[in-house]
Coordinates of all heavy atoms in Angstrom, one line a residue:
M1 N 0.8 -1.2 0.0 CA 0.1 0.0 0.1 C 0.8 1.3 0.0 O 1.9 1.3 0.7 CB -0.9 0.0 1.3 CG -1.9 1.1 1.3 SD -3.0 1.3 0.0 CE -4.0 -0.2 0.1
I2 N 0.6 2.2 -0.9 CA 1.3 3.4 -0.9 C 0.8 4.4 0.2 O -0.2 4.3 0.7 CB 1.2 4.1 -2.3 CG1 -0.2 4.5 -2.6 CG2 1.7 3.1 -3.4 CD1 -0.3 5.4 -3.9
T3 N 1.8 5.4 0.5 CA 1.4 6.3 1.5 C 0.7 7.7 0.8 O 0.7 7.7 -0.4 CB 2.7 6.8 2.3 OG1 3.5 7.4 1.4 CG2 3.4 5.6 2.9
C4 N 0.2 8.4 1.7 CA -0.4 9.7 1.2 C 0.7 10.5 0.5 O 0.4 11.1 -0.5 CB -1.0 10.5 2.3 SG -2.5 9.8 3.0
E5 N 1.9 10.5 1.0 CA 3.0 11.2 0.3 C 3.3 10.8 -1.0 O 3.4 11.5 -2.0 CB 4.2 11.1 1.3 CG 5.2 12.2 0.8 CD 6.4 12.1 1.7 OE1 6.5 11.4 2.7 OE2 7.4 13.0 1.5
E6 N 3.4 9.5 -1.1 CA 3.6 8.7 -2.4 C 2.5 9.2 -3.4 O 2.7 9.4 -4.6 CB 3.9 7.3 -2.3 CG 5.2 7.0 -1.7 CD 5.2 5.5 -1.3 OE1 4.1 4.9 -1.0 OE2 6.3 4.9 -1.3
F7 N 1.4 9.1 -2.9 CA 0.1 9.5 -3.7 C 0.2 10.8 -4.3 O 0.1 11.0 -5.4 CB -1.2 9.2 -2.9 CG -2.4 9.4 -3.8 CD1 -2.9 8.3 -4.5 CD2 -2.9 10.6 -4.0 CE1 -4.0 8.4 -5.2 CE2 -4.0 10.9 -4.7 CZ -4.6 9.7 -5.4
T8 N 0.4 11.7 -3.3 CA 0.4 13.2 -3.6 C 1.5 13.5 -4.7 O 1.4 14.2 -5.6 CB 0.4 14.1 -2.6 OG1 1.5 13.8 -1.6 CG2 -0.9 14.1 -1.7
N9 N 2.7 12.8 -4.4 CA 3.9 12.9 -5.3 C 3.6 12.5 -6.9 O 4.2 13.0 -7.7 CB 5.1 12.1 -4.9 CG 5.7 12.9 -3.8 OD1 5.5 14.1 -3.5 ND2 6.5 12.2 -3.0
R10 N 2.6 11.6 -6.9 CA 2.3 11.0 -8.2 C 1.0 11.5 -8.9 O 0.6 11.0 -10.0 CB 2.3 9.4 -8.1 CG 3.5 8.8 -8.1 CD 3.2 7.3 -7.9 NE 4.5 6.4 -7.9 CZ 5.3 6.3 -6.9 NH1 5.0 6.9 -5.6 NH2 6.3 5.5 -7.0
V11 N 0.2 12.4 -8.2 CA -1.0 12.8 -8.6 C -1.0 13.4 -10.1 O -1.8 13.0 -10.8 CB -1.7 13.7 -7.5 CG1 -2.7 14.6 -8.2 CG2 -2.4 13.1 -6.5
T12 N -0.1 14.2 -10.3 CA -0.2 14.9 -11.6 C 0.3 13.8 -12.7 O -0.4 13.9 -13.8 CB 0.9 16.0 -11.7 OG1 2.1 15.6 -11.1 CG2 0.4 17.3 -11.0
A13 N 1.1 12.9 -12.5 CA 1.4 11.9 -13.4 C 0.1 10.9 -13.6 O -0.2 10.6 -14.7 CB 2.6 11.0 -13.0
Y14 N -0.6 10.7 -12.4 CA -1.8 9.9 -12.5 C -2.8 10.5 -13.4 O -3.4 10.0 -14.3 CB -2.3 9.8 -11.2 CG -3.5 9.0 -10.9 CD1 -3.5 7.5 -10.9 CD2 -4.7 9.6 -10.9 CE1 -4.7 6.8 -10.7 CE2 -5.9 8.9 -10.7 CZ -5.9 7.5 -10.6 OH -7.0 6.8 -10.5
L15 N -2.9 11.9 -13.3 CA -3.9 12.7 -14.1 C -3.6 12.7 -15.6 O -4.3 12.8 -16.4 CB -4.2 14.0 -13.5 CG -4.8 13.9 -12.0 CD1 -4.7 15.5 -11.5 CD2 -6.3 13.7 -12.3
E16 N -2.2 12.7 -15.8 CA -1.7 12.7 -17.2 C -1.6 11.3 -17.8 O -1.4 11.2 -18.9 CB -0.4 13.3 -17.3 CG -0.6 14.8 -17.0 CD 0.8 15.5 -16.7 OE1 1.8 14.8 -16.6 OE2 0.8 16.7 -16.3
G17 N -1.9 10.4 -17.1 CA -2.1 9.0 -17.5 C -0.7 8.4 -17.7 O -0.5 7.4 -18.5
S18 N 0.4 8.9 -17.0 CA 1.7 8.4 -17.3 C 2.2 7.5 -16.1 O 3.4 7.3 -15.9 CB 2.7 9.6 -17.4 OG 2.6 10.5 -16.4
V19 N 1.3 7.1 -15.1 CA 1.6 6.1 -14.1 C 1.4 4.7 -14.7 O 0.4 4.4 -15.2 CB 0.8 6.4 -12.9 CG1 1.0 5.3 -11.8 CG2 1.0 7.8 -12.4
P20 N 2.4 3.8 -14.5 CA 2.2 2.3 -14.9 C 1.0 1.8 -14.2 O 0.6 2.2 -13.1 CB 3.6 1.7 -14.4 CG 4.5 2.9 -14.2 CD 3.7 4.1 -13.9
R21 N 0.5 0.8 -14.9 CA -0.8 0.2 -14.6 C -0.7 -0.2 -13.1 O -1.6 -0.1 -12.3 CB -1.1 -1.0 -15.4 CG -2.5 -1.6 -15.1 CD -2.8 -2.8 -16.0 NE -3.0 -2.4 -17.3 CZ -3.4 -3.1 -18.3 NH1 -3.5 -4.4 -18.0 NH2 -3.6 -2.6 -19.6
G22 N 0.5 -1.1 -12.7 CA 0.6 -1.6 -11.4 C 0.5 -0.5 -10.3 O -0.2 -0.6 -9.3
E23 N 1.0 0.7 -10.5 CA 1.0 1.8 -9.7 C -0.4 2.5 -9.5 O -0.9 2.9 -8.5 CB 2.1 2.8 -10.0 CG 3.4 2.4 -9.5 CD 4.5 3.6 -9.9 OE1 4.1 4.8 -9.6 OE2 5.5 3.3 -10.2
R24 N -1.0 2.6 -10.8 CA -2.3 3.1 -10.7 C -3.4 2.3 -9.9 O -4.1 2.9 -9.2 CB -3.0 3.0 -12.2 CG -2.3 4.1 -13.2 CD -3.1 3.9 -14.6 NE -4.2 4.7 -14.6 CZ -4.3 6.1 -14.8 NH1 -3.3 6.7 -15.0 NH2 -5.4 6.6 -14.8
I25 N -3.2 0.9 -9.9 CA -4.1 0.1 -9.1 C -3.7 0.6 -7.6 O -4.7 0.7 -6.8 CB -3.7 -1.3 -9.4 CG1 -4.3 -1.7 -10.8 CG2 -4.5 -2.2 -8.3 CD1 -3.9 -3.0 -11.3
G26 N -2.5 0.6 -7.3 CA -2.1 1.0 -5.8 C -2.7 2.3 -5.5 O -3.3 2.5 -4.3
M27 N -2.6 3.4 -6.5 CA -3.2 4.6 -6.2 C -4.7 4.6 -6.0 O -5.4 5.2 -5.1 CB -2.8 5.6 -7.3 CG -1.2 6.0 -7.3 SD -0.8 7.0 -8.6 CE -1.5 8.5 -8.0
W28 N -5.3 3.7 -6.9 CA -6.8 3.6 -7.0 C -7.2 3.0 -5.6 O -8.1 3.5 -4.9 CB -7.1 2.8 -8.0 CG -8.6 2.6 -8.3 CD1 -9.5 3.5 -8.9 CD2 -9.5 1.4 -7.8 NE1 -10.8 2.9 -8.9 CE2 -10.8 1.6 -8.2 CE3 -9.2 0.2 -7.2 CZ2 -11.9 0.9 -8.0 CZ3 -10.3 -0.6 -6.9 CH2 -11.5 -0.4 -7.2
L29 N -6.5 2.0 -5.1 CA -6.9 1.3 -3.7 C -6.7 2.4 -2.7 O -7.4 2.4 -1.7 CB -5.9 0.2 -3.5 CG -6.3 -1.1 -4.3 CD1 -5.2 -2.0 -4.1 CD2 -7.6 -1.7 -3.8
H30 N -5.7 3.3 -2.7 CA -5.5 4.3 -1.8 C -6.5 5.3 -1.7 O -7.1 5.6 -0.7 CB -4.1 5.0 -2.1 CG -3.7 5.9 -0.9 ND1 -3.0 5.6 0.2 CD2 -4.2 7.2 -0.8 CE1 -2.8 6.6 0.9 NE2 -3.6 7.7 0.4
L31 N -7.1 5.6 -3.0 CA -8.2 6.5 -3.1 C -9.5 6.0 -2.4 O -10.2 6.6 -1.8 CB -8.5 6.7 -4.5 CG -7.7 7.8 -5.3 CD1 -8.1 7.8 -6.6 CD2 -7.9 9.2 -4.6
M32 N -9.7 4.6 -2.5 CA -10.8 4.0 -1.9 C -10.8 4.1 -0.4 O -11.8 4.2 0.3 CB -10.8 2.4 -2.2 CG -11.0 2.1 -3.6 SD -12.7 2.5 -4.1 CE -12.2 3.9 -5.4
L33 N -9.6 4.2 0.2 CA -9.4 4.1 1.6 C -9.2 5.5 2.2 O -9.3 5.8 3.5 CB -8.1 3.3 2.0 CG -8.3 1.8 1.6 CD1 -7.1 1.0 1.9 CD2 -9.5 1.1 2.4
C34 N -8.8 6.5 1.4 CA -8.3 7.8 2.0 C -9.1 8.9 1.3 O -8.8 9.3 0.3 CB -6.7 7.9 1.6 SG -6.0 9.4 2.3
H35 N -9.9 9.4 2.3 CA -10.7 10.6 1.6 C -9.9 11.8 1.4 O -10.2 12.7 0.6 CB -12.0 10.8 2.5 CG -11.8 11.5 3.7 ND1 -11.5 10.7 5.0 CD2 -11.8 12.8 4.1 CE1 -11.4 11.6 5.9 NE2 -11.5 12.8 5.5
H36 N -8.7 12.0 2.2 CA -8.0 13.1 2.0 C -7.3 13.2 0.6 O -7.4 14.1 -0.1 CB -6.7 13.2 3.0 CG -7.2 13.4 4.4 ND1 -7.8 14.5 5.0 CD2 -7.2 12.4 5.5 CE1 -8.0 14.3 6.2 NE2 -7.6 13.1 6.5
C37 N -6.9 12.0 0.2 CA -6.3 12.0 -1.1 C -7.4 12.0 -2.3 O -7.1 12.5 -3.3 CB -5.5 10.7 -1.3 SG -3.9 10.8 -0.4
R38 N -8.6 11.5 -2.0 CA -9.7 11.7 -2.9 C -10.0 13.3 -3.3 O -10.1 13.7 -4.3 CB -11.0 11.0 -2.3 CG -11.1 9.6 -2.8 CD -12.5 9.1 -2.8 NE -13.3 9.2 -1.5 CZ -13.2 8.2 -0.6 NH1 -12.4 7.2 -0.7 NH2 -13.8 8.5 0.5
R39 N -10.0 13.9 -1.9 CA -10.2 15.4 -2.3 C -9.0 16.1 -2.9 O -9.3 16.9 -3.8 CB -10.5 16.0 -0.9 CG -11.0 17.5 -1.0 CD -11.5 18.0 0.2 NE -10.4 18.0 1.4 CZ -10.6 18.5 2.5 NH1 -11.6 19.0 2.9 NH2 -9.6 18.6 3.4
Y40 N -7.8 15.6 -2.5 CA -6.7 16.1 -3.2 C -6.7 15.9 -4.7 O -6.4 16.8 -5.4 CB -5.4 15.6 -2.5 CG -4.1 16.2 -3.0 CD1 -3.8 17.5 -2.6 CD2 -3.3 15.4 -3.9 CE1 -2.5 18.0 -3.1 CE2 -2.0 16.0 -4.3 CZ -1.8 17.2 -4.0 OH -0.7 17.9 -4.4
L41 N -7.0 14.6 -5.1 CA -7.1 14.3 -6.5 C -8.1 15.1 -7.3 O -7.8 15.7 -8.3 CB -7.3 12.9 -6.7 CG -7.6 12.3 -8.1 CD1 -6.2 12.3 -8.8 CD2 -8.3 11.0 -8.1
R42 N -9.3 15.3 -6.6 CA -10.3 16.1 -7.2 C -9.8 17.6 -7.4 O -10.1 18.2 -8.5 CB -11.6 16.1 -6.4 CG -12.9 16.6 -7.2 CD -14.0 16.2 -6.3 NE -14.2 17.2 -5.1 CZ -14.4 16.7 -3.9 NH1 -14.5 15.4 -3.7 NH2 -14.4 17.3 -2.9
Q43 N -9.1 18.3 -6.4 CA -8.6 19.6 -6.5 C -7.6 19.6 -7.6 O -7.6 20.6 -8.4 CB -8.0 20.0 -5.2 CG -9.2 20.2 -4.1 CD -8.5 20.6 -2.7 OE1 -7.4 20.2 -2.5 NE2 -9.3 21.2 -2.0
M44 N -6.6 18.7 -7.7 CA -5.6 18.6 -8.7 C -6.2 18.5 -10.0 O -5.7 19.1 -10.9 CB -4.6 17.6 -8.4 CG -3.8 17.8 -7.2 SD -2.8 19.3 -7.3 CE -1.7 19.0 -8.7
K45 N -7.2 17.6 -10.2 CA -7.9 17.5 -11.5 C -8.5 18.9 -11.9 O -8.3 19.1 -13.1 CB -9.0 16.4 -11.3 CG -9.5 15.9 -12.7 CD -10.5 14.7 -12.5 CE -11.0 14.2 -13.7 NZ -11.4 15.2 -14.7
E46 N -9.0 19.6 -11.1 CA -9.7 20.9 -11.4 C -8.5 21.8 -11.9 O -8.7 22.4 -12.9 CB -10.3 21.4 -10.2 CG -11.8 20.8 -9.9 CD -12.3 21.3 -8.7 OE1 -11.8 22.2 -8.1 OE2 -13.3 20.7 -8.3
V47 N -7.4 21.8 -11.1 CA -6.2 22.6 -11.6 C -5.8 22.1 -13.0 O -5.5 23.0 -13.9 CB -5.2 22.6 -10.6 CG1 -3.9 23.3 -11.1 CG2 -5.7 23.2 -9.3
V48 N -5.6 20.9 -13.1 CA -5.0 20.4 -14.5 C -5.9 20.6 -15.6 O -5.5 21.1 -16.6 CB -4.8 18.9 -14.3 CG1 -4.5 18.3 -15.7 CG2 -3.6 18.7 -13.4
D49 N -7.2 20.4 -15.4 CA -8.2 20.7 -16.3 C -8.3 22.2 -16.8 O -8.4 22.5 -17.9 CB -9.7 20.4 -15.9 CG -10.0 18.9 -15.8 OD1 -9.1 18.2 -16.5 OD2 -10.9 18.5 -15.3
L50 N -8.1 23.0 -15.7 CA -8.2 24.4 -16.0 C -6.9 24.8 -16.8 O -7.0 25.7 -17.8 CB -8.0 25.2 -14.5 CG -8.5 26.7 -14.4 CD1 -9.9 26.7 -14.7 CD2 -8.0 27.1 -13.1
L51 N -5.7 24.2 -16.5 CA -4.6 24.5 -17.2 C -4.6 24.1 -18.8 O -4.2 24.7 -19.5 CB -3.4 23.8 -16.4 CG -3.0 24.5 -15.2 CD1 -2.0 23.6 -14.4 CD2 -2.4 25.8 -15.4
H52 N -5.3 22.9 -18.8 CA -5.5 22.4 -20.2 C -6.3 23.4 -21.0 O -6.3 23.3 -22.2 CB -6.0 21.1 -20.3 CG -5.0 20.0 -19.9 ND1 -5.3 18.7 -19.6 CD2 -3.6 20.2 -19.7 CE1 -4.2 18.1 -19.2 NE2 -3.1 18.9 -19.3
D53 N -7.4 24.0 -20.3 CA -8.2 25.0 -21.1 C -7.6 26.3 -21.3 O -8.1 27.1 -22.1 CB -9.5 25.1 -20.2 CG -10.4 23.9 -20.2 OD1 -10.1 23.1 -21.0 OD2 -11.2 23.8 -19.2
V54 N -6.5 26.7 -20.6 CA -5.9 28.1 -20.8 C -5.2 28.1 -22.1 O -4.4 27.2 -22.4 CB -5.0 28.3 -19.6 CG1 -4.4 29.6 -20.0 CG2 -5.8 28.4 -18.3
P55 N -5.7 29.1 -22.9 CA -5.0 29.2 -24.2 C -3.8 29.8 -24.2 O -3.6 31.2 -24.5 CB -6.1 29.9 -25.1 CG -6.8 30.7 -24.0 CD -6.8 30.1 -22.8
L56 N -2.7 29.1 -24.0 CA -1.3 29.7 -23.8 C -0.6 29.6 -25.1 O -0.9 28.5 -25.9 CB -0.6 29.0 -22.7 CG -0.9 29.2 -21.2 CD1 -0.3 28.2 -20.4 CD2 -0.7 30.7 -20.9
G57 N 0.2 30.5 -25.4 CA 1.1 30.3 -26.6 C 0.5 30.9 -27.9 O 1.1 30.6 -28.9
D58 N -0.6 31.5 -27.9 CA -1.1 32.1 -29.0 C -0.2 33.1 -29.7 O -0.2 33.1 -31.0 CB -2.5 32.8 -28.8 CG -3.6 31.8 -28.8 OD1 -3.5 30.7 -29.2 OD2 -4.8 32.3 -28.5
K59 N 0.4 33.8 -28.9 CA 1.2 35.0 -29.5 C 2.7 34.6 -29.7 O 3.5 35.3 -30.1 CB 1.1 36.2 -28.6 CG -0.3 36.8 -28.6 CD -0.3 37.9 -27.5 CE -1.9 38.1 -27.2 NZ -2.0 38.8 -26.0
T60 N 3.1 33.4 -29.0 CA 4.4 33.0 -29.0 C 4.8 31.9 -30.1 O 3.9 31.2 -30.4 CB 5.0 32.6 -27.7 OG1 3.9 31.6 -27.2 CG2 5.0 33.8 -26.7
P61 N 6.0 31.9 -30.6 CA 6.2 30.8 -31.5 C 6.1 29.4 -30.9 O 6.2 29.3 -29.6 CB 7.7 31.0 -31.8 CG 8.1 32.4 -31.4 CD 7.1 32.7 -30.4
T62 N 5.8 28.4 -31.7 CA 5.4 27.1 -31.1 C 6.5 26.5 -30.3 O 6.1 26.0 -29.2 CB 5.2 26.1 -32.4 OG1 4.4 26.6 -33.4 CG2 4.4 24.9 -31.8
E63 N 7.7 26.6 -30.6 CA 8.8 25.9 -29.9 C 9.0 26.6 -28.4 O 9.3 25.9 -27.6 CB 10.1 25.9 -30.6 CG 10.6 27.3 -30.8 CD 12.0 27.3 -31.6 OE1 12.3 26.2 -32.2 OE2 12.6 28.2 -31.6
E64 N 8.5 27.8 -28.3 CA 8.7 28.5 -27.0 C 7.3 28.1 -26.1 O 7.4 28.2 -24.9 CB 8.9 29.9 -27.1 CG 10.3 30.3 -27.4 CD 10.4 31.8 -27.5 OE1 9.7 32.6 -26.7 OE2 11.2 32.3 -28.3
S65 N 6.2 28.1 -26.9 CA 5.0 28.0 -26.2 C 4.9 26.7 -25.3 O 4.4 26.8 -24.2 CB 3.7 28.0 -27.1 OG 3.8 26.8 -27.8
S66 N 5.5 25.6 -25.7 CA 5.5 24.4 -24.9 C 6.3 24.6 -23.6 O 5.7 24.1 -22.6 CB 6.0 23.1 -25.7 OG 7.3 23.4 -26.0
T67 N 7.4 25.1 -23.6 CA 8.1 25.5 -22.4 C 7.4 26.5 -21.5 O 7.5 26.3 -20.3 CB 9.6 25.9 -22.6 OG1 9.5 27.0 -23.6 CG2 10.4 24.7 -23.3
A68 N 7.0 27.5 -22.1 CA 6.2 28.4 -21.2 C 5.0 27.8 -20.7 O 4.7 28.0 -19.4 CB 5.7 29.7 -22.1
D69 N 4.3 26.9 -21.3 CA 3.1 26.3 -20.9 C 3.6 25.5 -19.6 O 3.0 25.5 -18.6 CB 2.5 25.5 -22.0 CG 1.3 24.7 -21.5 OD1 1.1 24.3 -20.5 OD2 0.3 25.1 -22.4
E70 N 4.7 24.7 -19.7 CA 5.2 23.8 -18.8 C 5.5 24.6 -17.4 O 5.3 24.2 -16.4 CB 6.3 23.0 -19.3 CG 6.6 21.8 -18.4 CD 5.4 20.9 -18.1 OE1 4.6 20.7 -19.1 OE2 5.3 20.5 -16.9
S71 N 6.3 25.7 -17.7 CA 6.7 26.4 -16.4 C 5.5 27.2 -15.8 O 5.5 27.2 -14.6 CB 7.8 27.5 -16.8 OG 7.3 28.5 -17.7
T72 N 4.6 27.6 -16.6 CA 3.4 28.2 -16.0 C 2.6 27.2 -15.2 O 2.2 27.5 -14.1 CB 2.5 28.7 -17.1 OG1 3.2 29.6 -17.9 CG2 1.3 29.5 -16.5
K73 N 2.5 26.1 -15.8 CA 1.8 25.0 -15.1 C 2.5 24.6 -13.7 O 1.8 24.5 -12.8 CB 1.9 23.6 -16.0 CG 1.1 22.6 -15.5 CD 1.1 21.6 -16.5 CE 0.8 20.2 -16.1 NZ 0.8 19.1 -17.1
Q74 N 4.0 24.5 -13.8 CA 4.6 24.1 -12.6 C 4.4 25.3 -11.6 O 4.3 25.0 -10.4 CB 6.1 24.0 -12.9 CG 6.5 22.7 -13.7 CD 6.0 21.5 -13.0 OE1 6.0 21.3 -11.7 NE2 5.5 20.5 -13.9
Q75 N 4.4 26.6 -12.0 CA 4.2 27.7 -11.1 C 2.9 27.7 -10.4 O 2.7 27.8 -9.1 CB 4.3 29.1 -11.8 CG 5.8 29.4 -12.0 CD 5.8 30.7 -12.8 OE1 4.8 31.4 -13.1 NE2 7.0 31.1 -13.2
L76 N 1.8 27.3 -11.2 CA 0.5 27.2 -10.8 C 0.4 26.2 -9.7 O -0.4 26.2 -8.6 CB -0.6 27.1 -11.7 CG -0.8 28.3 -12.7 CD1 -1.5 28.1 -13.9 CD2 -1.6 29.4 -11.8
L77 N 0.9 25.0 -10.1 CA 0.9 23.8 -9.1 C 1.5 24.2 -7.8 O 1.1 23.7 -6.8 CB 1.5 22.6 -9.8 CG 0.7 22.0 -11.0 CD1 1.5 20.8 -11.7 CD2 -0.5 21.4 -10.4
E78 N 2.8 24.9 -7.9 CA 3.4 25.3 -6.7 C 2.5 26.2 -5.9 O 2.3 25.9 -4.6 CB 4.6 26.0 -7.0 CG 6.0 25.3 -7.1 CD 6.1 24.4 -5.9 OE1 6.2 24.9 -4.8 OE2 6.2 23.2 -6.1
Q79 N 1.9 27.2 -6.5 CA 1.0 28.1 -5.7 C -0.2 27.3 -5.1 O -0.6 27.6 -4.0 CB 0.4 29.1 -6.8 CG 1.5 30.2 -7.0 CD 0.9 31.2 -8.0 OE1 -0.2 31.1 -8.5 NE2 1.8 32.1 -8.5
F80 N -0.7 26.4 -5.9 CA -1.8 25.6 -5.4 C -1.3 24.7 -4.1 O -2.1 24.9 -3.1 CB -2.3 24.6 -6.5 CG -3.4 23.7 -6.1 CD1 -4.6 24.3 -6.0 CD2 -3.1 22.5 -5.8 CE1 -5.7 23.5 -5.6 CE2 -4.2 21.6 -5.4 CZ -5.4 22.1 -5.3
R81 N -0.1 24.2 -4.3 CA 0.3 23.4 -3.0 C 0.5 24.3 -1.8 O 0.1 24.0 -0.7 CB 1.6 22.7 -3.4 CG 1.4 21.6 -4.4 CD 2.6 20.7 -4.5 NE 2.4 19.6 -5.5 CZ 3.2 19.5 -6.5 NH1 4.0 20.3 -6.9 NH2 2.8 18.5 -7.3
K82 N 1.1 25.5 -2.1 CA 1.3 26.5 -1.0 C 0.0 26.9 -0.4 O -0.2 26.9 0.8 CB 2.0 27.6 -1.5 CG 3.6 27.3 -1.6 CD 4.4 28.5 -2.1 CE 5.7 28.1 -2.6 NZ 6.3 29.1 -3.4
S83 N -1.0 27.3 -1.3 CA -2.2 27.9 -0.8 C -2.9 26.9 -0.1 O -3.6 27.0 1.0 CB -3.0 28.4 -2.0 OG -3.4 27.3 -2.7
R84 N -2.9 25.5 -0.5 CA -3.5 24.4 0.2 C -3.0 24.2 1.5 O -3.7 24.0 2.5 CB -3.4 23.1 -0.6 CG -4.3 22.1 -0.1 CD -4.3 20.9 -1.1 NE -4.8 19.8 -0.5 CZ -4.3 19.0 0.5 NH1 -3.1 19.1 0.6 NH2 -4.9 18.0 0.9
G85 N -1.6 24.4 1.6 CA -0.9 24.1 2.9 C -1.2 25.2 4.0 O -1.3 24.8 5.1
S86 N -1.5 26.4 3.5 CA -1.9 27.4 4.5 C -3.4 27.8 4.7 O -3.7 28.7 5.3 CB -1.2 28.7 4.1 OG -1.6 29.2 2.7
S87 N -4.2 26.8 4.0 CA -5.7 27.2 4.2 C -6.2 26.7 5.5 O -7.4 26.8 5.7 CB -6.4 26.6 3.0 OG -6.2 25.1 3.0
G88 N -5.4 26.0 6.3 CA -5.8 25.7 7.7 C -6.8 24.4 7.7 O -8.0 24.7 7.9
E89 N -6.4 23.3 7.5 CA -7.3 22.1 7.5 C -7.2 21.5 9.0 O -6.1 21.3 9.3 CB -6.8 21.2 6.4 CG -7.2 21.7 5.0 CD -7.4 20.5 4.1 OE1 -7.1 19.3 4.4 OE2 -8.0 20.8 3.0
Ligands
ZN1 ZN1 -4.0 9.4 1.4

C-alpha cells in the first residue's frame, strides 16, 4: 500500500495517465481508503483541467509555447500546493 505522500507525489502523473498500470491500481486502492487523497485528487484534477483549457502560446512561436506552458503549469501547481498548505485544514 502506498502512503499519502507517495500518492500526492504521483497525482499529476496519474492525471496525465503516465503512471504504470501496477502503480495506478495501488493509487486507486489508496483512493478507496483515503478521503484526504480523494479530495486532493479532485482539486488537482480541477487545476489540471483548468490549465489544459488556458489558451497559452497564441502569441508566441510554437517551440517556445510548450516550455512556457510547462513552467506556468509548474508555477500554478506550486502556488496551489502552498495555498492548500496554508488554508488551515
Ligand atoms: Zn491518502
Side-chain angles (χ1 to χ4, degrees):
M1 183 59 70
I2 65 170
T3 64
C4 291
E5 190 180 1
E6 286 169 334
F7 184 90
T8 53
N9 284 341
R10 285 180 172 81
V11 154
T12 47
Y14 180 83
L15 290 172
E16 285 164 2
S18 55
V19 175
R21 184 182 294 182
E23 284 185 36
R24 285 184 81 86
I25 292 170
M27 291 180 75
W28 184 81
L29 283 171
H30 186 94
L31 280 176
M32 293 295 110
L33 300 169
C34 180
H35 73 273
H36 294 293
C37 287
R38 273 206 297 278
R39 189 168 63 176
Y40 184 71
L41 177 71
R42 194 169 66 230
Q43 289 174 335
M44 287 305 289
K45 190 173 187 305
E46 284 169 11
V47 173
V48 170
D49 285 349
L50 201 67
L51 290 169
H52 285 174
D53 288 342
V54 176
L56 289 170
D58 271 357
K59 295 168 195 159
T60 50
T62 317
E63 59 180 26
E64 280 183 36
S65 68
S66 62
T67 52
D69 192 306
E70 193 55 36
S71 63
T72 306
K73 185 172 156 183
Q74 291 304 323
Q75 278 177 11
L76 284 169
L77 287 172
E78 266 309 302
Q79 284 177 4
F80 178 76
R81 288 193 181 113
K82 282 177 192 161
S83 69
R84 190 176 172 276
S86 61
S87 64
E89 284 206 353

